[in-house]
Amino acid sequence: MKLLIINGPNLNLLGLRQPEIYGSESMDDCLKRLRQRFPEIEIDYCQSNHEGVIIDLIHKNGMSEAGCDGIILNAGAYSHTSLAIADAIASAMVPVVEVHISNVASREPIRRVSMIGPVCHGVVAGFGLDSYRLAVEAFKEIVAR
Ligand code: DQA
């Protein structure tokens, strides 16, 4: 199985950015742990601060199973605003799981709204960087079906 994790805007700052909300671990550490824990799964990773680049990544990797078997997407603030990313997800042929590090349901009202949630296979939120591991666990079930 091959999964692609896409992180959106400001998530390049993980470990430095608002550690009281997002923790002090970097995404590199998180990826190292995921790859150690799931050696049977190929886990690719991309991060972009640009909406169009995220859309291009979904098109490139999600339009056929030749790209990957599933996408784990933390679209950051675009989760709450981007109809364009929602349209890209709706067009994808592989499942997309929405991930958030923080519990967006317990934060400001704008963060309780997800533009992308309705077109995603499911959502994992609020477990810190462990949200990514839980999404990989979910894919083990989704892809086996
Ligand atoms: C986030 C939550 C978003 O509201 C925020 O804009 C982010 C990170 C999270 O992982 O908790 O950038 O997606």
Side-chain angles (χ1 to χ4, degrees):
M1 175 164 56
K2 181 174 169 181
L3 297 178
L4 173 65
I5 299 176
I6 303 175
N7 271 352
N10 300 305
L11 292 164
N12 52 314
L13 299 179
L14 276 179
L16 303 170
R17 169 194 184 201
Q18 295 176 283
E20 67 288 2
I21 299 176
Y22 301 112
S24 48
E25 198 185 22
S26 70
M27 195 62 199
D28 279 352
D29 292 338
C30 173
L31 286 167
K32 201 186 281 175
R33 215 161 2 89
L34 287 177
R35 288 173 180 140
Q36 269 165 7
R37 188 166 182 140
F38 302 104
E40 73 285 11
I41 303 177
E42 190 181 332
I43 301 175
D44 290 346
Y45 174 69
C46 295
Q47 188 277 331
S48 177
N49 293 321
H50 304 278
E51 188 175 24
V53 174
I54 295 168
I55 293 166
D56 288 343
L57 284 167
I58 295 169
H59 290 174
K60 183 163 173 248
N61 297 280
M63 295 310 286
S64 81
E65 275 151 28
C68 65
D69 298 295
I71 296 175
I72 293 171
L73 174 62
N74 185 346
Y78 286 138
S79 314
H80 316 299
T81 61
S82 179
L83 184 58
I85 292 177
D87 283 348
I89 296 168
S91 311
M93 292 164 67
V94 302
V96 178
V97 169
E98 177 181 1
V99 160
H100 296 286
I101 297 160
S102 63
N103 180 3
V104 281
S106 71
R107 298 182 64 192
E108 308 95 297
I110 181 69
R111 293 186 207 273
R112 295 180 205 152
V113 176
S114 175
M115 288 294 279
I116 66 172
V119 289
C120 284
H121 192 92
V123 183
V124 182
F127 297 94
L129 287 177
D130 209 30
S131 294
Y132 294 95
R133 177 188 64 81
L134 293 166
V136 175
E137 298 281 6
F139 266 109
K140 286 171 74 174
E141 297 301 319
I142 298 165
V143 171
R145 267 184 224 147

